Amino acid sequence: MITSPFEPTIYTAGDHTYKIENFLHVYLTKQKDIVLVGLIHFYAKAPILKPGMKGIYLTVDQYRKLISKRDSISNAIKHIKEDIEGKGSSKMTKTKQTNKDGQVETDFDISENKTTIVKSDFIFGSNQVHVVVDIRDNSRPNKPFRDTRRFQDNMDKAVILTEKQWNSLLSLHLKVIRDLADNFGYSEDFADELSSYLIE
């Protein structure tokens, strides 16, 4: 039997890091005494993965708010997907996930500058329209950019999740809050409160 001399490299992403898909991870970190929950694209530097510049960091309160809206976000994914497939209409019966006009809610505020939008979009490398969850920092500096790189850095304060990646993020939630409780000074009550979002 002939074996290949090229063994696949096994990468590890380190502590407080949870894989959503491929190189996209949830990354817990502390910067200037502020605990952040990153949804970050990592890059390979054998044999480890390192967090890159692309993605978004949320405070723990912003992360809590995002997860608290999981039912409404998942409902929006479902109805937009039905519209794409021609199986439904965005005009829905009035529910807690619809606005006063009966339209499914698709825009969700996480904080003053951070929003989540559920929409249909083309995914790079795919010839199909997919439903995505766009989590974005909408803050803009007061002065216009004179430096293209700085403009790009500002635009990169976002992450776009496919439906599969969104569901993966939700499945990692209990691990994330356990890590926050065990290693970042959040109390058991905090972990229990967040856990209740997935149990409701």
Side-chain angles (χ1 to χ4, degrees):
M1 179 176 169
I2 299 173
T3 58
S4 169
F6 302 104
E7 293 294 329
T9 304
I10 298 174
Y11 294 100
T12 57
D15 296 334
H16 316 302
T17 304
Y18 304 94
K19 182 178 178 181
I20 295 175
E21 187 179 51
N22 299 328
F23 290 99
L24 179 62
H25 290 72
V26 180
Y27 174 53
L28 304 183
T29 185
K30 197 170 188 178
Q31 297 179 11
K32 296 183 180 178
D33 295 326
I34 299 173
V35 178
L36 298 172
V37 181
L39 305 176
I40 303 297
H41 291 273
F42 279 55
Y43 66 93
K45 189 169 183 179
I48 62 174
L49 292 176
K50 290 185 172 282
M53 297 295 290
K54 189 176 179 183
I56 191 167
Y57 286 97
L58 306 175
T59 65
V60 174
D61 283 343
Q62 290 164 352
Y63 172 72
R64 286 172 72 179
K65 191 151 186 190
L66 174 67
I67 296 299
S68 75
K69 295 179 180 292
R70 81 195 189 286
D71 288 341
S72 296
I73 291 171
S74 295
N75 185 63
I77 291 171
K78 173 187 171 188
H79 290 300
I80 292 175
K81 191 174 177 182
E82 287 175 352
D83 283 347
I84 291 171
E85 295 170 353
K87 296 179 180 176
S89 169
S90 59
K91 203 76 165 164
M92 304 303 298
T93 306
K94 183 80 171 126
T95 71
K96 66 179 181 179
Q97 275 87 38
T98 58
N99 63 23
K100 63 183 180 181
D101 297 322
Q103 296 287 339
V104 174
E105 185 179 6
T106 57
D107 294 28
F108 308 92
D109 290 331
I110 300 173
S111 68
E112 183 179 347
N113 293 322
K114 291 189 173 76
T115 59
T116 300
I117 301 172
V118 182
K119 60 185 181 178
S120 57
D121 205 353
F122 280 98
I123 301 295
F124 181 75
S126 167
N127 292 322
Q128 293 181 311
V129 175
H130 294 270
V131 182
V132 297
V133 180
D134 185 325
I135 305 167
R136 184 168 299 274
D137 185 337
N138 294 310
S139 61
R140 292 288 184 267
N142 294 327
K143 296 180 180 178
F145 285 108
R146 299 182 185 203
D147 182 337
T148 304
R149 182 185 56 80
R150 285 175 56 219
F151 177 75
Q152 187 61 43
D153 287 347
N154 187 266
M155 294 301 289
D156 282 346
K157 292 180 182 178
V159 68
I160 296 177
L161 305 177
T162 63
E163 179 184 9
K164 180 180 177 183
Q165 290 167 340
W166 168 251
N167 289 332
S168 180
L169 173 62
L170 293 181
S171 73
L172 293 170
H173 177 61
L174 292 178
K175 291 179 181 178
V176 170
I177 59 170
R178 178 55 53 206
D179 197 345
L180 288 169
D182 291 348
N183 300 299
F184 291 89
Y186 288 90
S187 68
E188 290 295 323
D189 290 343
F190 171 83
D192 291 342
E193 177 191 342
L194 283 179
S195 296
S196 70
Y197 289 135
L198 296 186
I199 296 170
E200 290 174 352

